[in-house]
Amino acid sequence: IMLSVDRYRSAQRSNIVFILVFGVISILGLSILIFFSIRRIVISPLRTIEDATKKIQEGTFEFELNFTQKDEIGKLARAFNLMRKKILKSTSRLKTSEEKYRNLINHSLEAVAIVDSSDNIVDNNKILEKLSLYPNEELLKMKLSHFLGTHEKKLKKRSFMDSNVEYFESVLITKDSLEIPVEIYKIKGISLDGKNKLAFAYIRDLTERKMIEKYSIQTEKMFALGQLSSGIAHEIRNPLFSLTNNIEYLKEKSCDEKAFEEVYPELKYGLKRIQKIVSTILDYAKPHEVDFRVVDLKEIIEKSISLVTKQFEKSAVKIVTKFSDGDYEIQADPHKIEQVFLNLFLNSFHAMESHGILTISVVPQRQFLKIKVADTGKGIPQKDLERIFDPFYSKSSGGTGLGLCIVQRILDQHNAKYDVKSEENFGTTFTIHLRREK
């Protein structure tokens, strides 16, 4: 039997090629099948779990992992679902708790600040922002004590049975340097969000209460002054008129008598002084309607300065004005506001005893015009500061004691804030905040 070797070898090579090609195709097919099987069974579920994890990181919990397989991945998915539900429940409780807490402080009638053991503000409500004029981002970088005045005379403490509760009255200093009387209840030993040694500070604005107290006292004074002025009008003015006429008559009849000529100027001055005091008292006690209109405060101050300039020119008093850039329009009665500045300027003139510097500065702020009238006079003793607005209280030999009473009444009619600081032998500064026209 004859067989061709070449033919055999060709068939052998063909078989080898077929086996190799078939093997490669089989391996590729099997690999693809395994890949898609793994992808469907392992990779896709894991990616779904990974996406779910990202949702939880973003704060989204309202979804469900639906895996029916009972293998390890199915067990992992069910454990993940259980964990998600527990986190959702805990988060809902936290959100509810936070909403209650946030609603409590935001709907509080008082300003609320939460401070740590170092007095740093860690949270606050909108009322504190409105009261202090500081935005929230600035408040969270500040200490509570930054707002509060340190004057001991303005501080009243009250003791409680609970040592963690502290109460005191003070002043809150706003961003515009305005002082607002406040009372503060501070409750210590609070734990919140895992932070211990926190304190809740409830800050109540006492402006209205202090104003009512002041108006009550002022009303009593006005009532007493009204009765007094009524008596003065009948008991003093008529005799005073007769005295003035009779003195003039005597002057005409006694023009050659030297003794009368010597006492006449003193008598004339005394009668004019009495008339001035009576007129001032009656003017103070008499109610006046306020004529509000839009006015330029800078013009009013400049006019007031011009009215006293001649008197100041005869002395060594120097007037310095500082007007910052801005809008000076306010709602006010121009005549009454002019009275305020005339009284303050003349008081400063008398306090400086004809030599010194009177500085008038005005700074436009967001809600107010801040006016400072500062002199370098003899100052006011601290014990007398609380009495300077009392009727008839005066340390000046030629004063009636009603100038600052009139100033106070006019400023109250304009809902102005005002403050007086003085130091003996160094001078006095009146600070006035007049609300700007909007």
Side-chain angles (χ1 to χ4, degrees):
I1 298 172
M2 299 290 294
L3 294 174
S4 174
V5 175
D6 293 334
R7 189 175 175 184
Y8 170 75
R9 289 178 177 173
S10 175
Q12 187 180 29
R13 283 195 297 271
S14 297
N15 288 335
I16 292 172
V17 170
F18 173 77
I19 291 171
L20 289 174
V21 171
F22 181 77
V24 169
I25 293 172
S26 298
I27 290 170
L28 285 174
L30 186 60
S31 298
I32 291 170
L33 180 64
I34 292 172
F35 170 75
F36 281 104
S37 298
I38 292 174
R39 182 177 179 180
R40 186 178 67 84
I41 298 172
V42 179
I43 297 176
S44 292
L46 288 178
R47 282 184 178 172
T48 303
I49 294 173
E50 182 183 6
D51 293 340
T53 304
K54 291 179 180 178
K55 288 181 180 179
I56 288 179
Q57 288 177 347
E58 294 169 357
T60 303
F61 301 95
E62 303 297 332
F63 63 89
E64 187 81 26
L65 291 178
N66 296 315
F67 292 131
T68 57
Q69 58 263 46
K70 297 182 180 180
D71 54 9
E72 283 72 13
I73 293 178
K75 292 178 181 178
L76 175 62
R78 286 187 288 274
F80 188 90
N81 271 332
L82 183 61
M83 178 190 71
R84 178 191 61 79
K85 290 177 181 179
K86 289 183 177 180
I87 293 175
L88 177 60
K89 189 174 181 181
S90 299
T91 304
S92 297
R93 283 201 302 266
L94 285 173
K95 283 184 178 180
T96 302
S97 178
E98 184 180 358
E99 286 175 2
K100 288 180 181 177
Y101 147 74
R102 184 59 58 188
N103 285 332
L104 280 173
I105 66 169
N106 281 338
H107 290 85
S108 172
L109 297 178
E110 287 83 31
V112 177
I114 301 173
V115 297
D116 60 18
S117 56
S118 301
D119 204 39
N120 297 305
I121 297 176
V122 297
D123 202 356
N124 60 271
N125 64 355
K126 295 290 184 183
I127 298 179
L128 182 59
E129 296 177 40
K130 183 178 179 182
L131 189 64
S132 67
L133 303 179
Y134 284 97
N136 181 256
E137 56 270 17
E138 290 187 36
L139 286 173
L140 296 178
K141 298 176 183 177
M142 300 166 69
K143 293 180 180 290
L144 180 63
S145 56
H146 175 87
F147 303 109
L148 305 181
T150 56
H151 310 297
E152 291 185 2
K153 67 184 183 66
K154 294 183 180 178
L155 194 65
K156 296 180 181 178
K157 291 192 175 182
R158 183 188 299 173
S159 58
F160 288 85
M161 294 295 291
D162 188 348
S163 59
N164 286 328
V165 179
E166 183 181 357
Y167 164 86
F168 56 93
E169 289 185 14
S170 185
V171 291
L172 184 143
I173 304 170
T174 69
K175 192 172 184 178
D176 289 343
S177 300
L178 184 65
E179 293 187 353
I180 299 174
V182 294
E183 65 177 1
I184 300 174
Y185 286 88
K186 200 170 183 181
I187 305 172
K188 302 177 182 177
I190 305 294
S191 296
L192 190 66
D193 293 338
K195 297 178 182 178
N196 296 319
K197 297 183 179 178
L198 296 179
F200 273 70
Y202 294 90
I203 306 166
R204 179 176 296 167
D205 185 356
L206 296 181
T207 302
E208 188 174 347
R209 182 195 299 178
K210 296 293 183 183
M211 192 175 294
I212 291 172
E213 291 175 358
K214 183 177 69 176
Y215 283 164
S216 177
I217 295 170
Q218 193 70 14
T219 301
E220 292 178 7
K221 291 178 181 177
M222 288 292 292
F223 179 74
L225 192 56
Q227 290 183 321
L228 177 63
S229 63
S230 177
I232 288 173
H234 291 90
E235 302 297 331
I236 296 181
R237 262 194 163 179
N238 293 335
L240 190 63
F241 181 73
S242 299
L243 281 172
T244 304
N245 288 337
N246 289 330
I247 286 174
E248 293 296 330
Y249 174 77
L250 289 174
K251 184 178 184 302
E252 292 176 3
K253 294 294 182 182
S254 310
C255 56
D256 296 331
E257 294 184 16
K258 187 177 179 180
F260 184 79
E261 287 293 329
E262 289 177 356
V263 299
Y264 174 76
E266 187 176 346
L267 291 172
K268 187 73 172 176
Y269 172 79
L271 288 172
K272 283 185 177 179
R273 172 113 176 103
I274 294 172
Q275 287 175 338
K276 179 183 176 183
I277 292 173
V278 170
S279 298
T280 305
I281 291 172
L282 292 174
D283 183 66
Y284 176 70
K286 181 181 177 181
H288 295 274
E289 293 295 329
V290 183
D291 181 20
F292 284 103
R293 67 183 76 168
V294 178
V295 296
D296 190 310
L297 184 69
K298 186 176 179 181
E299 292 180 1
I300 292 175
I301 292 175
E302 288 174 343
K303 182 181 176 183
S304 301
I305 292 173
S306 68
L307 292 173
V308 297
T309 298
K310 288 185 178 180
Q311 186 170 351
F312 281 30
E313 282 177 350
K314 297 175 185 177
S315 65
V317 172
K318 180 182 178 182
I319 302 176
V320 177
T321 57
K322 298 178 182 178
F323 293 103
S324 300
D325 295 335
D327 182 15
Y328 284 82
E329 286 191 344
I330 59 170
Q331 279 276 0
D333 184 320
H335 174 68
K336 288 185 176 294
I337 291 297
E338 185 180 300
Q339 275 187 283
V340 168
F341 291 114
L342 284 174
N343 274 301
L344 292 181
F345 297 163
L346 291 173
N347 278 359
S348 295
F349 175 76
H350 294 307
M352 290 186 285
E353 297 177 344
S354 301
H355 66 277
I357 301 173
L358 173 63
T359 305
I360 303 136
S361 62
V362 186
V363 180
Q365 298 177 327
R366 285 174 296 179
Q367 296 182 353
F368 299 91
L369 286 179
K370 182 179 179 181
I371 308 107
K372 282 191 175 183
V373 179
D375 63 57
T376 56
K378 58 187 176 182
I380 304 168
Q382 290 298 314
K383 62 183 178 64
D384 295 333
L385 268 179
E386 294 182 357
R387 299 183 59 195
I388 60 174
F389 295 108
D390 290 348
F392 309 114
Y393 179 80
S394 175
K395 289 291 186 179
S396 174
S397 58
T400 62
L402 290 173
L404 288 180
C405 292
I406 294 170
V407 167
Q408 183 186 48
R409 184 177 67 181
I410 294 172
L411 292 177
D412 287 341
Q413 287 172 335
H414 286 75
N415 292 321
K417 308 287 184 182
Y418 49 91
D419 183 53
V420 186
K421 287 185 171 63
S422 187
E423 189 173 351
E424 285 188 89
N425 303 317
F426 287 94
T428 303
T429 300
F430 277 80
T431 304
I432 302 170
H433 288 81
L434 286 169
R435 193 169 294 278
R436 296 182 67 180
E437 168 67 6
K438 294 184 179 180

